[in-house]
Amino acid sequence: MIELINVSKEYKNKTALSNCSIRIPEGQIIGLFGSNGAGKTTLMKCIMGFLKYDGTITLDGEPINEKNIFRLSYATGDHSFFPSVTAGDHKAFYKMQFPRFDERRYDALMEFFELPSKKKISEFSLGQQNQFEVVLAISQGADYVFMDEPFAGNDVFNREDFYEVLISVLNEDETVVISTHLIEEIADYIDRAILIRRGEIIDDLDINEVEAGGRSLIQIVKEKYDYRADRIRTAVNQMK
């Protein structure tokens, strides 16, 4: 289990995270939702150890460091691959660096996304690059996979197919945390929704309980974020 206790992060005079406390157990698919600048990426980067922070983050009770970081992987829109190297060379590199690298899963996902192995990653389209980033993260052999807006540049059909494949290939003890704005799209595939606003965790929802309550996830999210349905009409009227 990954546990965050009172995690805070400031950039100069701006608070990016404020006393965030959550538990992320094994075997869940979690949606991390919030508007731009809410703190989603910062939260993930703190967990991965890319940023300094105040508070405590542990993995099974131990600090996350060079001894256990192999149990975490991260797919980011900023990309972590080597653009001038081919996909096949990345595979060879990952096999050397990560003893738990799942070659069978890698090959299956490359075939599913129809990604060329002998082509440099810099020659991929943006959508293909994001797909490849996800392929590497899922195949690394990590117990916890963090994805930060992994579907940018992909059409709705590719995204829906990926959700189905993700559900199918994950082991029971693997956890995936997906930061995305595509709430309605992903709602049927997640077990839990963590809502973050202005650097604070404002809710942690069990999807089964949401469904039992007879409301949709998007309805609850709109309520939590004080969504005003009349703001479009107001803006249009002001421009007339």
Side-chain angles (χ1 to χ4, degrees):
M1 174 182 288
I2 295 175
E3 185 171 15
L4 285 71
I5 302 176
N6 297 329
V7 172
S8 297
K9 172 63 180 178
E10 290 196 5
Y11 295 107
K12 296 182 179 179
N13 295 323
K14 178 184 177 182
T15 299
L17 296 175
S18 179
N19 294 318
C20 293
S21 296
I22 53 174
R23 291 182 175 182
I24 304 174
E26 292 184 348
Q28 288 189 341
I29 299 180
I30 300 171
L32 179 61
F33 304 123
S35 59
N36 291 331
K40 303 186 300 297
T41 297
T42 298
L43 186 70
M44 287 187 169
K45 287 184 175 180
C46 286
I47 294 173
M48 294 298 301
F50 298 154
L51 297 173
K52 294 182 179 180
Y53 56 85
D54 294 319
T56 303
I57 300 178
T58 57
L59 172 56
D60 293 340
E62 299 292 333
I64 297 173
N65 52 37
E66 68 278 359
K67 295 180 180 179
N68 56 14
I69 190 62
F70 70 92
R71 295 181 58 193
L72 280 61
S73 67
Y74 184 50
T76 166
D78 295 332
H79 300 147
S80 58
F81 46 67
F82 307 106
S84 60
V85 175
T86 68
D89 289 334
H90 276 85
K91 175 183 176 180
F93 176 76
Y94 266 60
K95 287 176 66 175
M96 289 189 296
Q97 295 297 315
F98 302 105
R100 297 164 63 179
F101 181 77
D102 192 331
E103 185 174 0
R104 182 177 178 183
R105 180 181 289 185
Y106 173 92
D107 290 340
L109 289 170
M110 290 291 289
E111 182 178 350
F112 171 76
F113 285 122
E114 299 179 345
L115 298 176
S117 293
K118 297 182 180 180
K119 200 173 185 179
K120 292 181 180 179
I121 308 304
S122 60
E123 298 173 353
F124 283 18
S125 69
L126 175 60
Q128 288 178 318
Q129 289 181 354
N130 289 331
Q131 290 168 352
F132 186 63
E133 181 85 6
V134 168
V135 170
L136 291 176
I138 295 179
S139 303
Q140 178 183 309
D143 298 318
Y144 298 86
V145 182
F146 294 88
M147 299 184 186
D148 192 3
E149 296 292 348
F151 311 115
N154 283 275
D155 60 56
V156 63
F157 305 110
N158 260 325
R159 295 196 302 266
E160 289 182 356
D161 287 348
F162 172 74
Y163 302 144
E164 297 289 347
V165 169
L166 182 64
I167 297 296
S168 301
V169 303
L170 288 179
N171 299 323
E172 290 184 359
D173 57 352
E174 287 180 283
T175 287
V176 176
V177 180
I178 304 176
S179 167
T180 180
H181 296 291
L182 305 173
I183 299 171
E184 290 179 287
E185 251 185 41
I186 202 173
D188 291 336
Y189 301 95
I190 60 177
D191 304 300
R192 182 175 161 203
I194 296 174
L195 310 185
I196 185 168
R197 183 181 187 186
R198 297 172 185 168
E200 297 183 357
I201 304 295
I202 62 171
D203 215 333
D204 190 344
L205 304 168
D206 183 299
I207 299 302
N208 289 330
E209 293 179 2
V210 170
E211 293 175 350
R215 303 176 66 196
S216 69
L217 177 59
I218 191 65
Q219 287 176 322
I220 294 177
V221 170
K222 285 182 176 181
E223 179 182 293
K224 293 291 182 179
Y225 288 93
D226 300 322
Y227 176 74
R228 290 174 44 235
D230 65 335
R231 71 188 187 114
I232 296 176
R233 184 173 62 254
T234 300
V236 171
N237 289 336
Q238 289 176 343
M239 291 184 283
K240 287 183 178 179

